[in-house]
Amino acid sequence: MRVTGTAQREAWLAHTSPPVEQVRPDLWSVPVPIPDSPLRYTLTYLIAAGGGLVVVDPGWDTEAGWQALTGGLNAAGASPADVTGIVVTHVHPDHHGLSTRLRAVCGAWVAMHPAEADSLSAFQGQDGGFRRDDLAWLRRCGVPGDAAAGLAVTEGTMAAVRAMAKPDVLLGHGDLVPLPGRRLRAVWTPGHTPGHLCLHEEAGDLLLTGDHVLPRISPNIGLQPHAAEPPLAAYLRSLEQAAAYDTAEALPAHEYRFHGLADRVRMLLAHHERRCDEVIAILAQLGPATVWQITQEMSWSRGWAAVTGFMRRAAIAEAGAHLRHLADAGRISVTPPAPGEPEMYTAEADGGPILPV
Ligand SMILES: [Zn+2]
């Protein structure tokens, strides 16, 4: 792996914001700040052609974020009114947050994968039902009632999601972004979210990787209560797909640009294999356990005590995703829960008990 966004990396190490950069002719990266996040900023991409100007992942919806985005557009010789299209790699608020405000100013179309549109519409028209389902999922994970009440989605969260821009354009795998004059192709990479997209431009030999492949951190792969497909299996398959673009420069949505996608994919695959081994070892030690019990025993970069609030929920979902993956592979087993009871996982595989490693 070779870092190509050297100014971005220096800024990362110096805890400052990287500069707006022209990465290719008519392609700029713009750091848009994320409030109170260790990720610090989203790298928004501005891509122009004779036929228009597309913003990929406008960033988190704050006034500072809007100023950063408009400043980036100005640096590229444009203004928000010139934007003709918005593409989001996925609908998390650090990517899709500003789409509503940007669209209101310029009337641009908003494009995403159909599965992301489904995630947004799952929140529509649901009142107490969504929180009730979410509490039931936390209970199946074995989260105690008081902790679950603090972790379940709130009306405020749901209202924020409902306010997010619905798509005008759906991009399936292989579809071209409607930007005449450039061939920017959607690559469907489910895992981090069910409809995550990367964007490939053959002529510029680049892959916008969104959150799918980042140079330093591993994106959260969490069990999504409403996902159709187990997310870790989907993610591992999508990683293999990204490795096929090894000649391309990776333009991620966080941190810094780099070369060497196949190398980075190998590291991420190894990371998840280690995570799976860790879960099996924990199970062998604990005996039958819930997702919640296993989550607390897993290693977290800042330690479990520092995993609070939304991060705690993401941790439970990540443990759940690894457990589900191991159970699907027959490496551990799971007892289906009685109504209102948690699922219990054991290290017993079909081939007999697995010894601690
Ligand atoms: Zn992100």
Side-chain angles (χ1 to χ4, degrees), residues 34 39 41-43 57 60 89-90 92-95 192 196 210-212 214 217 219 253-254:
I34 310 171
L39 283 174
Y41 54 84
T42 302
L43 292 170
D57 289 343
W60 195 287
T89 57
H90 60 299
H92 284 169
D94 55 326
H95 300 257
H192 178 57
H196 188 285
D211 282 1
H212 179 49
L214 299 169
I217 58 166
H254 301 287

Side-chain angles (χ1 to χ4, degrees), residues 59 189 239 352:
T189 48
L239 277 180

Side-chain angles (χ1 to χ4, degrees), residues 68-354:
L69 178 61
T70 51
L73 282 161
N74 292 340
S79 78
D82 298 320
V83 176
T84 54
I86 299 163
V87 181
V88 290
T89 57
H90 60 299
V91 297
H92 284 169
D94 55 326
H95 300 257
H96 189 36
L98 270 172
S99 301
T100 302
R101 183 168 177 181
L102 182 56
R103 180 165 67 179
V105 170
C106 58
W109 47 260
V110 172
M112 65 182 69
H113 187 273
E116 293 304 283
D118 290 347
S119 297
L120 287 181
S121 50
F123 277 89
Q124 302 302 314
Q126 293 235 25
D127 300 321
F130 204 94
R131 182 168 166 90
R132 204 167 47 241
D133 289 356
D134 203 43
L135 282 166
W137 170 67
L138 289 163
R139 201 161 46 239
R140 272 201 307 286
C141 291
V143 181
D146 51 339
L151 290 173
V153 288
T154 60
E155 182 47 43
T157 317
M158 288 192 286
V161 176
R162 283 192 209 106
M164 284 186 153
K166 311 299 174 293
D168 307 294
V169 175
L170 294 176
L171 288 175
H173 182 70
D175 286 350
L176 285 174
V177 172
L179 176 62
R182 283 190 100 128
R183 293 175 63 78
L184 201 61
R185 198 175 289 282
V187 182
W188 183 35
T189 48
H192 178 57
T193 66
H196 188 285
L197 286 179
C198 293
L199 297 171
H200 180 235
E201 189 181 53
E202 202 174 337
D205 205 12
L206 57 89
L207 186 73
L208 271 66
T209 60
D211 282 1
H212 179 49
V213 183
L214 299 169
R216 197 184 61 94
I217 58 166
S218 159
N220 174 262
I221 306 302
L223 210 49
Q224 293 122 357
H226 300 276
E229 187 190 14
L232 185 54
Y235 182 65
L236 299 178
R237 198 181 63 238
S238 298
L239 277 180
E240 306 278 4
Q241 202 178 358
Y245 295 96
D246 194 37
T247 62
E249 184 181 11
L251 274 54
H254 301 287
E255 304 182 329
Y256 35 81
R257 301 190 303 279
F258 63 98
H259 249 300
L261 272 162
D263 247 9
R264 184 60 190 141
V265 163
R266 267 192 296 277
M267 286 183 235
L268 287 164
L269 290 171
H271 164 81
H272 285 288
E273 194 44 48
R274 277 195 307 275
R275 213 62 168 141
C276 284
D277 289 346
E278 184 189 18
V279 166
I280 289 174
I282 290 167
L283 269 180
Q285 208 158 50
L286 287 183
T290 65
V291 175
W292 173 244
Q293 289 167 325
I294 295 152
T295 307
Q296 294 170 77
E297 296 300 318
M298 287 168 71
S299 48
W300 303 103
S301 55
R302 278 157 242 250
W304 175 245
V307 179
T308 56
F310 176 77
M311 298 297 288
R312 185 157 281 210
R313 190 190 159 87
I316 296 164
E318 181 163 328
H322 284 81
L323 285 160
R324 167 76 191 269
H325 185 64
L326 288 166
D328 287 347
R331 293 170 69 186
I332 62 171
S333 45
V334 56
T335 315
E341 293 294 317
E343 281 174 339
M344 298 301 291
Y345 287 86
T346 55
E348 290 284 296
D350 289 342
I354 290 176

